Amino acid sequence: MVDDDTDILARTIYGEARGEGLGGMKAVASVVMNRCRIAQQYYQNHQCPHPLFGGGSPASACKMPWQFSCWNAADPNCRIINDVDDSDPVFSECLHIATDAISGALTDSTNGATHYYDRRSPIPDWAEGKEPCAAIGHHLFFNNIN
């Protein structure tokens, strides 16, 4: 049995990057953990959760509204990530990545990114005029979004 943070982080990795290979899945985990770090600092300074990144836990960061599309109720991935289990080898790998990320054993390949998008999609408003800090698989990563 895995804890809630590990399970939700693994489902987020699966929903956002299951087709991106190991490097892409690890990069999404790093983004979540970077958000957790910022949210924890924010909480210390403001005594309330970060408005976009949550309360500092991976589960909170993953499930903040409109942050990771795989958790949006209308997204087809939402049903997929809720139904998957560890008999799926890719999800099993996501569980390992999530465990490593939460334990601090995962190296951040995103240069501290807190945002990303699939370069095959239209450029989101928040990325207009911004320089990506990493490109991994189909995702462009950003560490300069306010």
Side-chain angles (χ1 to χ4, degrees):
M1 182 80 180
V2 297
D3 63 87
D4 200 42
D5 280 328
T6 304
D7 182 66
I8 290 172
L9 177 54
R11 290 176 191 283
T12 303
I13 297 164
Y14 188 83
E16 296 284 319
R18 68 182 170 273
E20 294 295 313
L22 192 58
M25 293 189 298
K26 288 180 177 183
V28 168
S30 292
V31 166
V32 172
M33 299 313 295
N34 291 335
R35 288 179 172 212
C36 289
R37 179 182 41 77
I38 291 169
Q40 290 162 3
Q41 292 168 348
Y42 184 91
Y43 191 86
Q44 287 175 352
N45 294 333
H46 301 281
Q47 303 306 303
C48 64
H50 189 282
L52 297 178
F53 301 163
S57 71
S60 175
C62 291
K63 288 196 149 186
M64 287 299 290
W66 307 109
Q67 296 303 302
F68 293 96
S69 62
C70 65
W71 289 106
N72 297 343
D75 191 301
N77 269 320
C78 191
R79 184 186 57 76
I80 292 168
I81 65 173
N82 280 303
D83 291 345
V84 72
D85 62 38
D86 63 2
S87 67
D88 180 308
V90 176
F91 182 65
S92 183
E93 186 62 42
C94 292
L95 284 166
H96 291 292
I97 294 167
T99 299
D100 286 350
I102 291 169
S103 74
L106 184 66
T107 300
D108 181 4
S109 60
T110 71
N111 298 307
T114 56
H115 291 72
Y116 63 91
Y117 75 93
D118 188 322
R119 67 175 99 199
R120 298 170 295 184
S121 301
I123 298 172
D125 289 342
W126 56 259
E128 285 288 341
K130 303 290 186 179
E131 189 69 30
C133 61
I136 301 168
H138 293 104
H139 291 141
L140 296 177
F141 293 83
F142 298 82
N143 61 8
N144 56 353
I145 308 299
N146 296 325

